[in-house]
Amino acid sequence: MKTIIEPFRIKMVEPIKLTTREEREQLIEKAHFNPFLLAAEDVIIDLLTDSGTSAMSAEAWGAMMRGDESYAGARSWYRFRDTVKSIFGFEQVIPTHQGRAAEHILFGVLVQPGMIVPNNTHFDTTRANVEYNGGEALDLPCAEAADLDSDYPFKGNMDTAALEKVVAEHGREKIPLIMLTITNNSGGGQPVSMANIREVSRIAHEAGIPFYIDACRFAENAHFIKRREPGYADKPTIEIARETFSYADGCTMSAKKDAFANIGGFLCTNDAELAHRERNILILTEGFPTYGGLAGRDLDAIAIGLCEILDEHYLDYRLDSTKYVVNHLVDAGIPVIAPAGGHAVYLDAGRFLPHIEALHYPGQALAVELFIEGGIRGVEIGSVMFGLDPHTGDEQASRLELLRLAIPRRVYTQSHMDYVLEAIGLVWERRESIRGIRIVEAPQFLRHFTAKFARL
Ligand code: F0G
């Protein structure tokens, strides 16, 4: 059969409130042209993020009822810890309330002012946590990532030649760790190959530098490797995931992505002494080491989600349904990052709205128009998110101007996506009349969340 079906049935539904175009014009103006400031109820299709927005399974809801809420050593903790260990393989597991809390603890312990953290591409919270500790978050995407149309299968890779140069120049005194984000979220949700993971690991270890993986979408990345990298087609995806982590010294993880959970995360390492220092901060900021800012029931939901996410029928559907949207856009000549990544569709706002210069924020303008057209909410990944140097206060154009439409797991059906495609097509038809945006008010760190905008 060629038809892709959602490999689940729907047992519980949430109604969607439908709005008119006139209502949406007013709603987005009242939200200061920032989709983050809209009430979720006023959004028809919410593609702001795939984080914490997944639909949990009957199994996961059932497991939540078994949650053991003991303060220390709860049964839920052991189920969580053992599941994490069985997939990720690290000796030390530290639960946190979400991914950025793991980053905050890790960088707080390892990064000092003047240090450099290389990554294929830092996600915004990762970058902010490095910079908050006085470090430099250095992005080293591979050259193929710059060509948004090339069909290179692993555009999430790191430029390992550039990494070798940085390591030769600065050494382990200035580089406390090297990271790889799988999949590369800010770089278009593109996967990282096992060859690249192995090579980054080699470079790091030869220089005596720890190698960490930002593991948020590890299952999608592993399944891309199965589909695209020679030698992996017959390997179970779970084995590919295990091999991925076998090259690393630790990871940060947001369970809000590839664990189907609504909240949660963890930090792993093989270094017991480091884990000891990390747990000291954990107790101060998150909670006791066997719950780390989570309820017992959350730990149980994550343990189930981590197993379900590696179901290959689910992963086939996940990758194919994202590809379905991207392929329709490519066929319509609409600029989009291709080939499709796993969790999101990235419209290339720079080419969609070439008459709007970077610091008039084409991605933000496109986000506003897509909301007005169809009540669809996406997020700009461009000069609003990355254009401000928090130390100097200078603004410069981001490498890419994108509008990300992230697809919550198991939430929307193909007809929802057909509706999204129709709305994008209608905005495309009237693109020449769309104006740029300016910032009225914004904080210094992570400004995209709360900034207020006006139309030019
Ligand atoms: N790393 C990556 C690659 C991410 O995508 C995220 C979150 C984090 C770390 C932080 O995790 O949200 O649990 O604190 N990404 C979400 C997104 C917010 O919309 O892409 P968190």
Side-chain angles (χ1 to χ4, degrees), residues 48-51 98-101 103 123 125-126 181 183 185 214 216-217 254 256-257 264 343 404:
L48 188 65
T49 179
D50 63 320
S51 180
Q98 59 184 87
R100 71 197 67 184
E103 294 162 5
F123 182 64
T125 60
T126 322
T181 304
T183 55
N185 185 6
D214 177 339
C216 295
R217 299 176 181 85
S254 169
K256 300 172 74 172
K257 282 83 166 175
H343 73 293
R404 187 188 74 174

Side-chain angles (χ1 to χ4, degrees), residues 60-111:
W61 281 109
M64 286 187 82
M65 296 304 290
R66 271 192 328 210
D68 175 354
E69 304 303 339
S70 305
Y71 191 92
R75 279 169 295 209
S76 301
W77 153 249
Y78 293 107
R79 290 193 280 262
F80 167 87
R81 186 201 62 183
D82 294 348
T83 307
V84 172
K85 278 192 169 184
S86 74
I87 298 166
F88 294 75
F90 299 110
E91 284 157 29
Q92 308 287 332
V93 180
I94 298 176
T96 59
H97 79 275
Q98 59 184 87
R100 71 197 67 184
E103 294 162 5
H104 186 68
I105 293 172
L106 177 68
F107 299 142
V109 171
L110 291 183
V111 177

Side-chain angles (χ1 to χ4, degrees), residues 62 140 159 174 177 226 276 338-339 372 376 385 388:
L140 300 173
D159 179 343
K174 280 197 82 177
L177 74 162
K226 183 182 174 98
H276 179 71
I372 291 170
I376 297 155
M385 191 180 274
L388 181 75

